[in-house]
Amino acid sequence: MHVLHVVGARPNFMKAAPVLRALSPHANVRQTLVHTGQHYDAAMSDVFFKQLEMPEPDVNLEVGSDTHAQQTARIMMAIEPVLLDRKPDLVLVYGDVNSTVAAALVCSKLGIKVGHVEAGLRSGDRTMPEEINRLLTDQISDLLFTPSADGDENLLHEGIDPSRIHCVGNVMIDTLVRLLPTAEKHFPADIRLPFALVTLHRPSNVDDLPWLQKLLSSLADLSTQLTIIFPVHPRTRQRLNELTSSSAMNTPLRLLDPLPYLEFLALQQRAAVVITDSGGIQEETTFLGVPCLTVRENTERPVTIEKGTNRLVGRDLRQLRSAVQEILETRGKRGESPTKSNVPFWDGHAAERIAQIIVRRSAGK
Ligand code: UD1
């Protein structure tokens, strides 16, 4: 059996790495890795391949950045001949980025089976590009691998045949479990405790410059109480450069370049609080038992709110400030039990379950 994996953007890499590893002992499975090149900077891509010990991609489509339509179309045009040439039996796509939906759509037109890893997540917010990518990818995928039970419910609600749905758990947590012992050695030496770790890259936060400016001022206010460590995504860096006011640059925040996986994980583990708009970080902090404040009105990962340490603060800066205060005073929301038992199947073995399902299917069982 020939399995072709498609990755493109930073959050795909930690999800694909464990699946590649889990399939590799199976002698009857041949694997091909295609990188679309959606993310191409060394700090957004190469260093992740190295730290996650992923094989070099067999093919790099080098599509780079563009508008959504151009980027998605370029991925589709570039991947079609690769799929025709390599003739995989199954294509695995990951998460909710443009590379995910573009590859899935081309496969469905070519009659190639698609498996979606991290299926079924829904924020209910169709203004998010990722929500459209999730909805469409799930509709056209043959195998839907969900990270938690809410994913199954969402898919059933959308009329998806239950035989396509497999609740396997969270592959990103597989990577975290494997690399956490290594990550501890990567804690940057020059960080003063206590600190808040901040990441912001959603268009809804960073493309709205007046809002971004207010958010930065609130973070600057917090920096009298704790160090603010802010590794800056390239999209956010561009917006900071566009802010005409010099206040963003004369900031007390520690603005860093995007960090490698291990350094970032080490920081998450020791942070007093994480302030973010990322999806994956909501899950990682829940697993680690670290308080997380999500600067969004909604989340496609409700389990991190119901069982974990995550809290939505929306666009309410007073709520953000008071939540940080509460966390500093009381350590905040603890989560039920911030361990792998917190959510069923967030146990470091999700990719093995995916591999078993694929191998069983290829044997016609
Ligand atoms: C993409 C995903 C988002 C994910 C995020 C993680 C989609 C729709 N969005 O958003 O779900 O959370 O990745 O990072 O797929 N850039 C660089 N170097 C790079 C990559 C990007 O400089 O290696 C810059 C480019 O100027 C680009 C901008 O960042 O225009 C945004 O990149 P893009 O891939 O379009 O989307 P992200 O915001 O990264």
Side-chain angles (χ1 to χ4, degrees):
M1 179 181 206
H2 181 191
V3 178
L4 185 146
H5 307 255
V6 180
V7 294
R10 184 171 62 178
N12 292 155
F13 308 140
M14 42 289 230
K15 295 168 192 167
V19 183
L20 282 152
R21 289 173 84 84
L23 281 169
S24 65
H26 294 278
N28 57 342
V29 176
R30 188 158 59 88
Q31 303 194 72
T32 299
L33 180 58
V34 175
H35 191 331
T36 65
Q38 178 175 344
H39 285 175
Y40 43 88
D41 282 353
M44 297 294 283
S45 176
D46 303 3
V47 70
F48 286 82
F49 274 72
K50 234 174 267 143
Q51 291 198 337
L52 302 174
E53 299 161 297
M54 288 172 73
E56 287 283 311
D58 299 287
V59 181
N60 192 323
L61 306 176
E62 295 180 358
V63 297
S65 303
D66 215 321
T67 63
H68 281 265
Q70 300 269 358
Q71 186 180 60
T72 308
R74 279 225 296 264
I75 297 167
M76 291 177 69
M77 282 166 31
I79 206 167
E80 186 181 50
V82 175
L83 295 172
L84 287 170
D85 176 43
R86 305 259 173 167
K87 300 184 179 57
D89 301 299
L90 175 69
V91 170
L92 289 180
V93 296
Y94 296 85
D96 56 16
V97 302
N98 286 343
S99 301
T100 312
V101 69
L105 189 50
V106 174
C107 289
S108 75
K109 303 265 180 179
L110 294 176
I112 298 171
K113 296 259 180 281
V114 183
H116 183 203
V117 178
E118 200 187 76
L121 300 188
R122 297 289 180 270
S123 65
D125 176 0
R126 292 199 178 190
T127 65
M128 278 179 87
E130 294 81 5
E131 183 75 350
I132 303 302
N133 294 345
R134 293 181 201 115
L135 281 159
L136 300 183
T137 304
D138 285 342
Q139 280 298 324
I140 57 179
S141 293
D142 302 278
L143 287 170
L144 297 154
F145 299 113
T146 62
S148 46
D150 53 291
D152 298 39
E153 280 165 36
N154 291 332
L155 295 172
L156 292 171
H157 185 67
E158 288 165 20
I160 292 195
D161 185 338
S163 68
R164 287 160 58 195
I165 306 170
H166 303 272
C167 188
V168 290
N170 193 319
V171 286
M172 201 189 57
I173 299 296
D174 288 7
T175 295
L176 186 155
V177 168
R178 183 171 76 87
L179 292 175
L180 195 54
T182 317
E184 280 158 17
K185 297 184 233 64
H186 288 252
F187 186 78
D190 58 342
I191 303 286
R192 208 156 36 91
L193 303 175
F195 67 92
L197 180 62
V198 177
T199 81
L200 297 167
H201 74 280
R202 295 260 160 241
S204 58
N205 278 325
V206 304
D207 290 358
D208 176 349
L209 292 186
W211 164 250
L212 178 61
Q213 178 80 71
K214 279 191 216 147
L215 200 47
L216 292 173
S217 312
S218 288
L219 294 171
D221 293 346
L222 292 173
S223 70
T224 54
Q225 284 175 287
L226 72 181
T227 313
I228 309 282
I229 310 292
F230 185 178
V232 184
H233 184 282
R235 167 195 285 281
T236 310
R237 179 67 71 181
Q238 284 168 15
R239 299 299 172 261
L240 292 183
N241 294 342
E242 284 166 35
L243 279 177
T244 45
S245 136
S246 58
S247 60
M249 298 309 144
N250 296 330
T251 176
L253 314 182
R254 274 197 63 184
L255 302 178
L256 310 178
D257 286 334
L259 289 172
Y261 181 79
L262 295 169
E263 282 73 2
F264 191 79
L265 182 53
L267 281 169
Q268 277 194 85
Q269 200 187 12
R270 304 265 291 269
V273 56
V274 175
I275 299 170
T276 190
D277 58 9
S278 149
I281 293 170
Q282 297 171 49
E283 297 179 332
E284 289 172 340
T285 46
T286 272
F287 186 90
L288 294 167
V290 171
C292 179
L293 300 175
T294 298
V295 190
R296 285 174 47 187
E297 303 287 351
N298 49 55
T299 178
E300 60 289 334
R301 289 153 163 104
V303 75
T304 62
I305 310 258
E306 289 151 17
K307 302 208 174 183
T309 55
N310 187 22
R311 176 167 158 189
L312 294 180
V313 293
R315 282 169 81 92
D316 182 343
L317 292 172
R318 256 188 318 186
Q319 212 191 130
L320 173 67
R321 280 191 293 265
S322 69
V324 170
Q325 207 53 51
E326 194 187 315
I327 287 164
L328 289 178
E329 283 160 17
T330 68
R331 273 205 55 226
K333 203 176 155 205
R334 297 281 162 96
E336 255 174 23
S337 151
T339 68
K340 60 193 173 194
S341 62
N342 205 358
V343 180
F345 294 149
W346 287 23
D347 60 354
H349 300 288
E352 288 158 33
R353 287 187 279 274
I354 292 175
Q356 275 163 18
I357 292 164
I358 290 173
V359 169
R360 245 189 280 130
R361 271 177 66 100
S362 81
K365 289 182 207 151

